[in-house]
Amino acid sequence: MARVPADAVTAMSDEKPPQLVDYFVVAGLAEASRALEEEQQPRPARPGEPITDVAVIIRSQGEEVPQGFTCIETSTSGHPVELNAGLLNNPQMFLCYKRGRDKPPLIELGVHYEGKDRPKPGYQILDTTPYSRSANLAAGSPGHQRTFLTFRRAAEPPGHHTLGVTDICLVIPSKGESTPHTFCRVDKNLNTSMWGPALFLCYKIAVAKDNTLVYEAGLLSRYPEQDSESFPLPESVPVFCLPMGATIESWPVGTKYPLPVFSTFVLTGASGDKVYGAAIQFHEAFPRERLSEAQALRLGLLSVVDRRPVPGRSLHTRKSICVLSHWPFFDVFRKFLMFIYRYSISGPHVLPLETHISHFMHNVPFPSPQRPRILVQMSPYDSLLLCRPVSSPLPLSGASFLTLLQNLGPDNAVALLVAVLTEQKLLIHSLRPDVLTSVGEALVAMIFPLRWQCPYIPLCPLALADVLCAPVPFIVGIHSSYFDLYEPPRDVIFVDLDTNTIFQSEERKLLSPRALPRRPCKVLLASLHSLSQQLDELLSAPGEEEPPELVLSDAEAAGARRAQLELEARAAFLRFMACALRGYRSFLRPIAPAPAPAGRDAGSLFALQGFLRSRERAYQRFYGQLLRTQLFTQFIEDCSFASDREPCLEFFDTCVDKVQVDLEKPEDTPLMELDDPRGGEHTVFITPPEQPAGPDGAEPPARYRYDGFPTLRPELLEPPRDPLVAQLCQARSSAPSSPAPRRTKQEMKVAQRVAQKSSAVPELWARCLLGHCYGLWFLYLPTHVRAAPAKLRALQLAYDVLRKMEQHKVVLPDEVCYRILMQLCGQYGEPVLSVRVLLEMKRAGIVPNTVTYGYYNKAVLESKWPAGTQGGRLRWAKLRNVVLGAAQFRQPLRQRQRRSAAGDPPGGQAPPAPRPPLQRQTTWAGRSLRDPEPGPSPRLVKSGSLSFPGSSRGEGETRAGGPPLLPVTPTPPPPRPRGPPGSADGSLSDIGTDESGGDEPGAGPGAGTGAGAGGVTPRRGLAAKLQQLLSPGKRPPPRPAESPREPPGTRRGSEQRDGDPPSRRSPAETLLRPRERPESTASESSVSLGSELDLSDASGGSTGAPKSTEPPMDGTAGTEPPALEVLLSSCSRCPGCAGLVFDEELMAGWTSDDSNLNTSCPFCSRSFVPFLSIEIRDFRQPPRWDPRDTPPDSLGDPRPLWGHPNRVAFAYLSPLVLRKELESLVENEGGELLARPELVDSHPIIYWNLVWYFQRLALPSNLPLLLLGSQHAPRDPQPPEPSRVRVRLLWDVLSPDPESCPPLYVLWRLHSNIPPRLHPWGPPAPPFSLTFLEALLSHVGLNEVHKAIGLFLDTLAAPGAPRTLHRSIYRELLFLTLAALGREHTDIAAFDRRYRSALGKLGGALGRDELRRRRAQPPSAKATDCRRTFGAPPEC
C-alpha cells in the first residue's frame, strides 16, 4: 500500500491556519531512474499499430481477403465462426481488419439493425464489401431485417497517443466463451436468424504505440526545498505523478503533441490520514545525445543492420508537475497546473515561472467561514474560484458517486458494495487516470461508517504493481495499459470502468447482492436507478444556442444540480449502511470491571454472536463474513474508545435512529442536511504577482522563455507573506481545550430541534431551559475540579448532582454532562465512579452515543483500578460496626438491670414522664422531636466511613426528672436597630407574622411582626388577625418555665400540644399554608427543581445562596461581613410600555433560537433585550452616610452605605444563547480562563450570567471569588479573613425609580417600621393607605381574591392614584401577601389558582381586554412553569 510514515501525513496544525498547497513537485526522467520493463516478465509483444479499417467478405461469392487485412476465422476458444452461419443458404461471410498509421484509427464498433435503430452521429455504416457487394449480414435469409456493421473513427490528425481499437474478436456464449478481459462487447447478435448460435463482436481500445522506453519516475525539482515538520514530502510522490513511468518515445516527424493528461492520486498514512495529489502529464523534446546505442536501437532511431540513423524520427520524454494538499480541490488544482504548463510553453514573460508558483502557494488562503470565496486572478486571462468545502459530518473525501454510477451503473455499484464489505481483492482499471481516483474514493466512502483497513491505492504506479500479488485484500486502481505489459493475478476481481464490466475468476466469486438485506437493498437499487436516469438526462441535455449572458448562469445551475445528485447518491448508500447495522449499539459491551489484558479484543467489546442472531436467517452468510473483516473490528474499536472519528460516528447513530428498515422507499426526512458551503457572498480577490518597474517607469523587458519545463531556481521564488495569509485565513484555537465539553454538530442540531418543540409546551420549555443550565455548570466542572483541593469529593459532588437531576426528571438536551464527568474520572483516576455514571445514564434511559461511550471506555481502560482485596481501614471500620451493633443490642438489658436495682414498681413499668410540648421539626435529625434525646450511646457508622461522631450532649442532661430535651437551636444574632431579627435585608421570606399568638403580654422581643428594639408597630393587629384565621378560637399555651434555655421566638402559636384538640381549617388556610402533599407533588413555594439542589455547603470556596432565615452580614455588631457582597436582579423594564418584566416572564419570552438575545414583553408583546442588574458592595471600605440619596419627599431615612456600591448592568442571556457563547469561549481561549479574574473584565456578560444561574440553582462554583481580583474590587494587600464573596438574588428591581410610587409590599414594610432595602423611593400615593393594604390582605386571606382585584382597580381609578402601574396587579398582590405573611406561610401555586379563578369572575363584568389593558392578567402558563421549575428568587 502507498503508505507514508505516520508522522508524515497528519492533519493541519492547530497552531497555524490551514494551508491550501503543501508542495509543488516536478517529476520525470532522472539520472538515477531505472528501467521498468526489464525487471519483470512482460506478456507477448503488443500490437504497435491500431486498427484503421474493417471489412466484410463473402467467400461463397469468390471474395478474398484484401491486401493488408487480417481475417477472423475462429472464436476466442478456436471454434470456427461465420457471421451468418445460421442462414439457410450460408453465404460464408467473414470479418477482416487492417492495422496502420496512415489514417486515424477506429475508436468504436457497433451493429446496426436497419429499420429498428437510428444511425448514431459520427458512425459510418459498412454497407458494401471491398468488391462492391452488399455487406448485409442477413442477406441470405429473405424477410429478415438488414444488419450491418458500423464504426467510428478518431478525429484528424492522429496523435501518437490517440486511443484506438487495437484488437477485435468474436465470441460464442453457447460454447462457454465470455468476453475477454479489457474488451468491449457489442450487445447485439450478429446472427439474426432462428438457427445457429448467437455471435457477438468484441473489441479492445488502447493506446497503440511502439518505440518506447519506460523508466521509473524521479524527482526533478520541488518547492519548498525543506520538509515541513508536520508533513515531510513522501519519497514515492514522483512515481504517483507518472504512474506508467517516465518514458522516452520516438515519434514520426510532424506528429501532433498530445494534450496534457490530468490525474489524481491519494497517499494514505499509517493513521488513516489522506494527502491528495493532482498532477498533469505532458511531453517535451528529449536530446538524442543522452541516448546510448542500445536505447537508440530499441527506439528505432538506428537501423538494425548497419547502425545508421533513421531519418524522420523525433525524440520526446514524458514529464509531470504536481501539487500536494490535504484538501481535494481537484478542479482548482487542475486549472492552476494547466496555467503553469501553458506559461512554460509560451513566452517570453516578464516574471519567471517561479514567481507564479510561490505566489499561489503563499498568498492564496484557505477559504474560511468569514471569507468563503477566494477569487484568484493568475493573469489577465486566467482566473479560478476557490470555495469553502461543504460542511459535512462525513469524512473529507475526493469521491464522486456520480462518476461511479456513470461508469458502472447501479447494479455493478451494488455488486462492488458487497465486494468491499466482504474485503475482496479489487483491481479497478481504466484508460482515464483521473476517473480512477474518483471511483476508488467512492468505493471506500460508500461503506461509511466502516473504514477500509487494507492496502488502498486508487492510482497505482507500475513501480508498486507488486501489491497485486499481496495475500491480503486491497483496492487498487491502475491504467489499463498495464495488461498489455503484464499478466494479472488470477484471484483478483477486475473492474473495467471503460466497458462497465466486472470480471470474476473461478477462484474468487462474489456474494450475490441477494445476500444483502432485501428491503434496504431494494430501496438502494431504486434510488441509484433514479439517480442514474437523472444523470443521463443532465449529461444528454441538448446544447441549444443561448445568449452569452445565460451561459454562466446555466453552468452554475448545472453544477448545483450535479452537487444535489451527488448528495442524494451518498445518502442512498448511507441509508443502506444504517439499516444493515441497525441496533448495533445495544450489543456493545462496556468495560465495567477492571479490564483484562485483552480488553481491546473485538469479542470482549461487542457481542458478535448476539448481533448475528438478531439478523434474519437468510442474511446470516453476509453478516458472518462482515463480522470477520478488519472493517468491522476497527469499527467496534472506534465506537468503544475515544478517537477523532467521534463526530462522524455520532452522526451515523442519528441516521440509524432516523431510518425505518421495513419501508420500501426512503424516509421523507433526509439523512444528510449540509450547510451552505459559501456561508455568504463575501469574496476575497487575490491579484496576480506584481511586475517589477523598469527604468524611468517603463515596462520591464520580457526575458523569461523556456524550451521545456525548467528546474525551479530558489533565488526566483518569492518568500511567504505571513501577515496576508494570517489575516485572510481562519485562525485556529490558540488554547485548545479538551474535546469532551464540545457538542458535536449533530448534538447541536438535535438540541435545536428539541428546543423548538419544547417552546410550544410550557412544562417542556421550562425543563429545556433547566437542562441547559445544568449543561452550563458541567461545562464549568473541569475548572471547578481543577481548583478543588479534594478532587474525589468534587467528582462525587458532580455525581450527586447527576443523581438529583435524574430524580427530578431533568431533561438534558445532550450527553455532555455525563461525558465531561466520565472524562474527569479518567483524568483523575476514578474508574469506579465512571462506571457509576454509566449506570446512572442507563437508569435515566439514555443510551450513550459514540462520543460518550468512547470516553467511558477510555476512562475505564486507562485508569488505575483499586486493588481487588479490601483495605485494612475498611476492615477495621466493619469490625467497629459489629462491636457497636452488639453494644446496641445489650443496652436494653442494662437498662432493665438498672431499673431493678433502683426499686421499680412491679411489672417493670416506669412512671410516665411528662411529655414535652410539640415543636415543629424544621430539620431532619433522624428521630422524632417528641422522643427524648437519646444518651451518649454510639451510633452505627457506614462501612467504609472513617468518621465516628459522638453524642452532642452530656450524660447529665439525660437523667430522669430533668427538663424535656429539645433540639439544639442556634443562638440568634443580637437584635438590629430596626425590625425583628433577620428582616432588615428586605427578604420576603424573612418577614414573619406574630407567631406567639399576639395577645400574650409576655411575648418576648421579636415575637411580633412589627416589634422593634424598644417598641411595637402601630396598628399591630392585622397580621395576628390573619394568623388567627388559620386556627380560630385557639389560645396559645403558656411558655413552660422548665426550659429557660429556649430562645424567644422559636415557638409558633400555630403549633399545638399533643393534648389540644385539632382546630378547624379556615378558607384562608388553604391559600396561605401549603397542603400536605406527597413528595412528587410538593408545593411550588417549598420545593422546586432548582432550589432543591442546595449543594453550596459542599464546595470549600464557593458561595451559595443565603438561606431565608440567615441574617445578612453587612457589618452589624456580632457578625463578620464578607469582603464583597453582590446583589443580582434580572427584573427588566420594557422599553415599550415601561412595565417591569420579572424573571419567570423573561424566561417564558425567550425563543428557541440560540442566537436571539430578545425576549417578549407579556404586556405589549414587544421584543427587547433584558438586563442583569448588579450591585457590588465592598465591605472592606468603611461605611458612609449620604443623606443626598434621599429626596425630601421620599420615604425612609438616610442609612449607612457600605463600600460605595458599584452598579453595572449586562445583557441577560437565555441558557441556550449562553451555552453557545460559553462553548465558543472555552474552545477559543481554553477552559483555564474560567479560573482567572480576567474573565470578569474581558467577558462580563458570560461571567455574570453564569454567576446568576449557578446561584439560582445553588450549584457550587468559584466564580464569585474572581471578583476579588477584578477591576470591581481594588486589590487589598491585607485582605480580611475570610476573603469571601456573598451573592444575593433579588426578585424585584435593584434600583428603584425615584419618581415612581413604591410598590405595596414596600409600603407595608414602611408602615411596619421595617426599613426598605432600596433608597430612595418616591412619595406614596394617597389612596395607598394602611387601611387599603389591610383590606387587600383581608380579601386575600378570606379567598376573596376577586374583591381584592376589584378594590385595587377602583383605587387606581380614584384621584391621586398613580397614572402608570409598573408592576401588574398580580405582582403587587403576590408581593404584598409574601411580605405580610412570609413565604413559609404562602403557597404561591394556590395563590395563582385563586387569582385565575377570581380573574374569570371579573372577566364577564369588565372584559378580558380591559383587564389586560389595566395589567390585571396573571403570568402565562409558561412563565408559571418556569417559576415552578427554577424556584422564585429568595429575596425581593
Side-chain angles (χ1 to χ4, degrees):
M1 183 179 181
R3 291 189 182 271
V4 296
D7 55 350
V9 182
T10 57
M12 300 305 299
S13 174
D14 287 339
E15 299 179 356
K16 295 181 180 179
Q19 189 174 353
L20 183 62
V21 176
D22 295 298
Y23 291 99
F24 183 89
V25 175
V26 183
L29 184 63
E31 296 294 338
S33 297
R34 56 186 176 86
L36 294 178
E37 293 185 347
E38 297 176 356
E39 298 182 356
Q40 304 182 18
Q41 294 295 330
R43 304 180 70 177
R46 57 184 175 180
E49 295 178 339
I51 296 176
T52 57
D53 284 299
V54 291
V56 175
I57 61 173
I58 307 176
R59 285 187 173 177
S60 62
Q61 299 291 335
E63 297 182 358
E64 299 293 335
V65 178
Q67 183 178 2
F69 280 74
T70 302
C71 182
I72 303 177
E73 298 182 354
T74 60
S75 64
T76 56
S77 59
H79 298 281
V81 292
E82 296 178 9
L83 299 182
N84 49 9
L87 300 180
L88 297 178
N89 53 3
N90 192 7
Q92 297 181 359
M93 305 181 71
F94 292 87
L95 178 63
C96 305
Y97 62 88
K98 178 184 179 182
R99 298 181 184 274
R101 292 188 179 273
D102 55 337
K103 58 176 67 175
L106 304 181
I107 58 176
E108 197 168 355
L109 297 176
V111 177
H112 176 71
Y113 294 154
E114 191 177 64
K116 183 178 180 181
D117 300 334
R118 291 184 178 181
K120 296 180 180 180
Y123 280 75
Q124 300 181 27
I125 299 177
L126 187 64
D127 53 355
T128 60
T129 67
Y131 301 93
S132 301
R133 291 186 177 92
S134 175
N136 177 21
L137 303 182
S141 179
H144 285 79
Q145 60 184 4
R146 291 160 57 90
T147 304
F148 298 96
L149 293 179
T150 62
F151 61 87
R152 186 163 63 96
R153 195 179 299 275
E156 297 185 8
H160 187 70
H161 289 75
T162 304
L163 290 175
V165 177
T166 59
D167 205 353
I168 298 177
C169 67
L170 298 172
V171 296
I172 305 176
S174 61
K175 302 293 184 180
E177 299 175 353
S178 59
T179 305
H181 187 219
T182 71
F183 275 69
C184 299
R185 170 175 161 175
V186 181
D187 289 328
K188 289 186 177 181
N189 189 5
L190 296 178
N191 185 9
T192 58
S193 66
M194 300 177 59
W195 313 101
L199 187 66
F200 293 93
L201 174 65
C202 301
Y203 61 94
K204 179 180 180 180
I205 298 178
V207 178
K209 59 181 180 179
D210 54 1
N211 302 327
T212 301
L213 300 178
V214 183
Y215 295 86
E216 182 179 345
L219 181 65
L220 300 181
S221 184
R222 55 172 283 185
Y223 179 74
E225 294 289 341
Q226 303 296 328
D227 285 345
S228 171
E229 295 181 1
S230 60
F231 172 44
L233 180 67
E235 297 179 357
S236 59
V237 168
V239 297
F240 283 93
C241 297
L242 294 169
M244 299 308 296
T247 60
I248 302 176
E249 304 173 9
S250 174
W251 300 352
V253 175
T255 303
K256 182 182 178 181
Y257 272 85
L259 294 176
V261 177
F262 177 71
S263 63
T264 58
F265 58 89
V266 180
L267 302 179
T268 308
S271 60
D273 299 323
K274 292 182 179 180
V275 174
Y276 300 92
I280 61 170
Q281 306 171 24
F282 54 90
H283 290 80
E284 61 182 32
F286 188 80
R288 184 173 296 192
E289 296 79 13
R290 296 179 57 183
L291 295 179
S292 64
E293 184 177 353
Q295 290 174 329
L297 283 173
R298 295 187 61 184
L299 290 174
L301 300 178
L302 296 177
S303 59
V304 179
V305 179
D306 53 3
R307 301 293 197 272
R308 291 183 180 181
V310 177
R313 308 292 294 183
S314 59
L315 203 60
H316 303 270
T317 185
R318 184 161 53 186
K319 275 188 177 180
S320 175
I321 56 177
C322 164
V323 292
L324 291 181
S325 173
H326 286 80
W327 312 95
F329 292 113
F330 292 143
D331 292 337
V332 173
F333 297 151
R334 178 179 58 83
K335 294 179 181 179
F336 168 69
L337 293 174
M338 291 300 297
F339 166 75
I340 294 297
Y341 170 71
R342 289 195 304 267
Y343 197 88
S344 66
I345 62 177
S346 60
H349 304 286
V350 176
L351 295 176
L353 186 68
E354 291 83 351
T355 301
H356 289 275
I357 295 175
S358 58
H359 174 77
F360 184 82
M361 294 185 63
H362 295 311
N363 298 330
V364 177
F366 185 84
S368 66
Q370 292 76 22
R371 300 171 177 84
R373 296 159 61 94
I374 310 294
L375 179 61
V376 183
Q377 193 73 32
M378 297 178 291
S379 73
Y381 309 100
D382 299 276
S383 63
L384 57 87
L385 182 63
L386 183 64
C387 294
R388 179 171 172 258
V390 174
S391 178
S392 170
L394 300 180
L396 188 66
S397 171
S400 175
F401 288 88
L402 296 185
T403 304
L404 175 69
L405 289 177
Q406 187 177 356
N407 289 275
L408 289 176
D411 297 325
N412 284 338
V414 175
L416 288 182
L417 175 64
V418 179
V420 177
L421 288 176
T422 54
E423 287 187 348
Q424 305 295 325
K425 295 182 178 181
L426 291 180
L427 179 59
I428 312 166
H429 60 90
S430 174
L431 296 170
R432 299 160 293 169
D434 57 326
V435 175
L436 290 174
T437 301
S438 300
V439 174
E441 286 283 274
L443 289 181
V444 297
M446 67 168 57
I447 61 173
F448 175 84
L450 307 181
R451 284 193 299 176
W452 184 260
Q453 299 296 312
C454 302
Y456 167 65
I457 312 176
L459 181 59
C460 180
L462 284 178
L464 301 178
D466 293 339
V467 72
L468 300 180
C469 301
V472 295
F474 56 76
I475 297 178
V476 174
I478 202 166
H479 198 277
S480 294
S481 58
Y482 165 83
F483 300 100
D484 298 332
L485 302 174
Y486 309 106
E487 191 71 31
R490 295 183 177 274
D491 59 344
V492 177
I493 298 175
F494 301 95
V495 182
D496 192 346
L497 301 181
D498 298 324
T499 62
N500 189 14
T501 52
I502 298 178
F503 298 91
Q504 305 180 41
S505 63
E506 296 296 332
E507 302 176 5
R508 179 76 65 170
K509 281 292 185 180
L510 273 176
L511 277 179
S512 171
R514 295 182 178 179
L516 299 177
R518 185 182 66 84
R519 286 191 179 90
C521 185
K522 181 179 179 180
V523 175
L524 174 62
L525 276 173
S527 301
L528 295 183
H529 278 288
S530 175
L531 293 172
S532 181
Q533 182 179 358
Q534 298 179 51
L535 180 61
D536 292 339
E537 296 175 356
L538 182 65
L539 297 178
S540 61
E544 301 178 356
E545 294 292 334
E546 294 182 351
E549 60 271 9
L550 299 180
V551 174
L552 182 60
S553 60
D554 291 346
E556 293 181 353
R561 179 57 180 163
R562 188 179 181 90
Q564 179 64 26
L565 294 178
E566 184 78 27
L567 174 64
E568 294 177 4
R570 187 157 195 173
F573 285 102
L574 177 61
R575 184 191 183 278
F576 172 82
M577 294 301 300
C579 294
L581 298 178
R582 73 187 190 282
Y584 79 96
R585 298 209 62 82
S586 59
F587 297 95
L588 290 173
R589 293 176 174 174
I591 306 176
R600 287 182 177 267
D601 181 64
S604 61
L605 299 175
F606 189 80
L608 296 174
Q609 294 302 320
F611 179 78
L612 192 59
R613 287 193 297 268
S614 66
R615 311 293 117 168
E616 297 183 20
R617 184 177 298 273
Y619 315 126
Q620 294 281 333
R621 185 181 178 188
F622 163 71
Y623 280 106
Q625 294 190 22
L626 176 63
L627 297 184
R628 292 192 296 268
T629 60
Q630 300 180 50
L631 291 169
F632 196 80
T633 301
Q634 184 62 40
F635 172 66
I636 295 303
E637 291 187 7
D638 292 339
C639 293
S640 301
F641 303 100
S643 66
D644 56 350
R645 300 190 69 230
E646 291 169 347
C648 301
L649 297 177
E650 196 270 340
F651 165 72
F652 179 73
D653 290 344
T654 60
C655 295
V656 173
D657 297 336
K658 290 181 181 178
V659 296
Q660 301 179 23
V661 184
D662 297 333
L663 291 182
E664 299 285 346
K665 61 178 182 178
E667 292 77 13
D668 297 332
T669 304
L671 296 182
M672 299 178 61
E673 300 176 0
L674 302 183
D675 300 331
D676 185 6
R678 297 174 298 176
E681 298 298 333
H682 184 66
T683 303
V684 177
F685 182 73
I686 305 297
T687 58
E690 297 180 1
Q691 296 183 359
D696 301 331
E699 183 176 353
R703 55 191 179 91
Y704 293 99
R705 179 187 293 272
Y706 307 98
D707 296 332
F709 201 89
T711 301
L712 302 181
R713 297 165 56 184
E715 65 273 11
L716 297 179
L717 294 166
E718 292 184 354
R721 290 186 288 177
D722 291 337
L724 176 62
V725 178
Q727 178 183 2
L728 297 180
C729 291
Q730 179 186 11
R732 292 296 182 97
S733 171
S734 59
S737 60
S738 171
R742 305 175 189 170
R743 286 184 296 174
T744 62
K745 291 185 177 180
Q746 291 305 120
E747 286 179 327
M748 294 181 182
K749 292 180 179 179
V750 171
Q752 188 68 20
R753 288 195 293 266
V754 171
Q756 291 176 356
K757 294 180 180 179
S758 301
S759 61
V761 182
E763 183 177 359
L764 294 182
W765 177 244
R767 293 180 179 271
C768 176
L769 294 180
L770 185 63
H772 280 278
C773 288
Y774 281 109
L776 291 171
W777 186 75
F778 276 92
L779 283 176
Y780 171 76
L781 182 61
T783 304
H784 181 72
V785 175
R786 191 163 45 246
K791 312 297 182 185
L792 178 59
R793 182 180 179 185
L795 294 176
Q796 184 65 39
L797 170 67
Y799 174 71
D800 293 340
V801 172
L802 282 179
R803 293 192 60 187
K804 292 185 179 180
M805 290 163 55
E806 193 273 334
Q807 293 173 4
H808 292 292
K809 309 299 180 183
V810 176
V811 180
L812 295 176
D814 45 58
E815 303 175 16
V816 174
C817 300
Y818 299 96
R819 187 156 66 237
I820 292 176
L821 186 52
M822 288 179 179
Q823 187 198 26
L824 292 176
C825 291
Q827 182 178 351
Y828 295 103
E830 295 295 335
V832 178
L833 185 58
S834 183
V835 175
R836 295 172 63 189
V837 174
L838 179 66
L839 296 178
E840 197 67 30
M841 285 189 69
K842 294 184 176 181
R843 190 178 297 112
I846 302 175
V847 179
N849 61 18
T850 301
V851 185
T852 307
Y853 196 79
Y855 277 102
Y856 164 76
N857 277 335
K858 182 178 181 181
V860 171
L861 190 66
E862 297 180 0
S863 301
K864 182 179 180 181
W865 282 73
T869 58
Q870 298 178 351
R873 301 177 67 185
L874 183 60
R875 293 179 178 178
W876 279 111
K878 289 187 175 181
L879 179 60
R880 181 167 185 175
N881 283 343
V882 173
V883 174
L884 294 178
Q888 291 279 12
F889 279 107
R890 295 184 61 183
Q891 185 177 1
L893 299 177
R894 293 179 180 177
Q895 291 179 355
R896 182 177 301 176
Q897 293 175 358
R898 290 196 197 101
R899 287 196 297 267
S900 300
D904 288 343
Q909 303 229 351
R915 301 177 112 183
L918 178 63
Q919 299 292 329
R920 188 170 65 173
Q921 180 175 336
T922 58
T923 58
W924 175 249
R927 59 183 181 272
S928 174
L929 293 181
R930 300 183 181 183
D931 301 332
E933 187 167 348
S937 58
R939 293 180 295 169
L940 288 179
V941 183
K942 182 181 178 181
S943 176
S945 174
L946 300 179
S947 59
F948 304 94
S951 175
S952 59
R953 292 184 179 269
E955 186 153 343
E957 297 180 356
T958 60
R959 295 177 181 175
L965 302 178
L966 298 175
V968 178
T969 306
T971 303
R976 299 183 46 83
R978 289 189 187 89
S983 63
D985 60 344
S987 172
L988 285 178
S989 58
D990 296 341
I991 305 301
T993 58
D994 185 0
E995 296 176 352
S996 63
D999 296 332
E1000 276 262 296
T1009 303
V1016 295
T1017 58
R1019 306 187 68 172
R1020 185 188 52 84
L1022 178 61
K1025 292 177 182 178
L1026 290 176
Q1027 187 67 22
Q1028 289 177 1
L1029 290 175
L1030 302 179
S1031 53
K1034 177 182 67 66
R1035 302 292 297 175
R1039 181 173 306 173
E1042 54 270 14
S1043 56
R1045 292 188 307 273
E1046 181 178 344
T1050 58
R1051 300 180 56 197
R1052 305 184 183 274
S1054 60
E1055 297 166 353
Q1056 302 176 1
R1057 296 178 181 269
D1058 290 347
D1060 293 340
S1063 60
R1064 64 181 182 88
R1065 301 174 64 90
S1066 67
E1069 189 172 356
T1070 60
L1071 169 66
L1072 301 179
R1073 181 179 298 277
R1075 293 191 182 98
E1076 296 180 359
R1077 307 182 185 180
E1079 280 190 10
S1080 58
T1081 58
S1083 171
E1084 174 191 343
S1085 61
S1086 59
V1087 177
S1088 65
L1089 297 184
S1091 61
E1092 182 79 3
L1093 301 178
D1094 187 5
L1095 304 171
S1096 58
D1097 57 343
S1099 61
S1102 63
T1103 59
K1107 305 297 181 182
S1108 60
T1109 58
E1110 177 186 354
M1113 296 188 297
D1114 53 359
T1116 311
T1119 61
E1120 186 177 2
L1124 292 178
E1125 184 181 56
V1126 180
L1127 303 181
L1128 288 172
S1129 173
S1130 63
C1131 184
S1132 301
R1133 191 180 303 274
C1134 173
C1137 61
L1140 292 178
V1141 185
F1142 291 84
D1143 189 64
E1144 60 269 27
E1145 297 168 332
L1146 297 175
M1147 291 183 177
W1150 279 326
T1151 64
S1152 60
D1153 185 4
D1154 58 4
S1155 300
N1156 189 357
L1157 276 65
N1158 291 328
T1159 186
S1160 60
C1161 176
F1163 307 113
C1164 64
S1165 302
R1166 176 174 176 175
S1167 297
F1168 68 97
V1169 177
F1171 281 88
L1172 271 179
S1173 301
I1174 304 107
E1175 179 178 316
I1176 305 172
R1177 299 178 181 178
D1178 191 348
F1179 286 96
R1180 295 174 296 182
Q1181 304 293 333
R1184 64 185 177 91
W1185 293 83
D1186 192 0
R1188 293 174 298 176
D1189 288 344
T1190 306
D1193 55 350
S1194 64
L1195 294 179
D1197 299 329
R1199 63 171 180 168
L1201 300 179
W1202 287 89
H1204 307 278
N1206 179 23
R1207 290 179 179 174
V1208 291
F1210 297 100
Y1212 182 30
L1213 303 183
S1214 161
L1216 282 73
V1217 179
L1218 181 59
R1219 183 170 186 182
K1220 179 181 178 182
E1221 296 299 325
L1222 181 60
E1223 288 173 340
S1224 177
L1225 175 66
V1226 172
E1227 183 176 359
N1228 295 330
E1229 303 188 31
E1232 294 79 7
L1233 181 64
L1234 300 180
R1236 297 200 299 265
E1238 290 83 358
L1239 176 68
V1240 184
D1241 303 328
S1242 59
H1243 302 280
I1245 297 179
I1246 296 179
Y1247 171 78
W1248 288 112
N1249 278 272
L1250 290 178
V1251 171
W1252 168 267
Y1253 284 118
F1254 293 171
Q1255 200 72 18
R1256 186 71 184 273
L1257 301 180
L1259 294 172
S1261 74
N1262 295 322
L1263 291 177
L1265 297 180
L1266 300 182
L1267 280 174
L1268 297 174
S1270 67
Q1271 63 181 1
H1272 298 290
R1275 298 184 180 273
D1276 190 353
Q1278 297 179 353
E1281 293 294 341
S1283 294
R1284 183 171 173 269
V1285 180
R1286 187 176 66 211
V1287 180
R1288 296 165 57 188
L1289 305 184
L1290 305 180
W1291 203 350
D1292 205 354
V1293 292
L1294 188 61
S1295 56
D1297 186 3
E1299 299 180 357
S1300 64
C1301 177
L1304 300 186
Y1305 77 92
V1306 174
L1307 295 178
W1308 172 261
R1309 290 177 179 172
L1310 293 175
H1311 287 303
S1312 302
N1313 286 342
I1314 303 174
R1317 175 181 53 80
L1318 301 177
H1319 283 264
W1321 285 103
F1328 295 161
S1329 61
L1330 182 59
T1331 305
F1332 168 72
L1333 300 179
E1334 291 179 349
L1336 291 179
L1337 289 173
S1338 299
H1339 290 312
V1340 171
L1342 294 173
N1343 291 339
E1344 298 175 345
V1345 184
H1346 62 286
K1347 294 184 179 180
I1349 299 175
L1351 177 61
F1352 203 148
L1353 293 176
D1354 295 341
T1355 306
L1356 289 176
R1363 296 181 179 179
T1364 58
L1365 192 65
H1366 298 295
R1367 294 166 185 79
S1368 65
I1369 296 179
Y1370 165 85
R1371 195 70 56 177
E1372 292 280 9
L1373 292 179
L1374 175 63
F1375 285 2
L1376 177 62
T1377 305
L1378 292 174
L1381 302 180
R1383 179 170 297 182
E1384 65 273 16
H1385 296 288
T1386 305
D1387 188 351
I1388 300 181
F1391 180 86
D1392 289 347
R1393 291 192 299 268
R1394 303 298 183 186
Y1395 190 90
R1396 295 178 189 277
S1397 176
L1399 209 63
K1401 298 178 181 179
L1402 295 176
L1406 299 178
R1408 294 187 178 273
D1409 294 338
E1410 178 64 18
L1411 291 175
R1412 182 176 181 84
R1413 186 186 66 82
R1414 302 180 70 174
R1415 297 183 182 176
Q1417 76 273 15
S1420 63
K1422 186 182 292 187
T1424 303
D1425 201 81
C1426 288
R1427 185 180 60 203
R1428 182 184 303 112
T1429 302
F1430 282 83
E1435 302 183 45
C1436 184

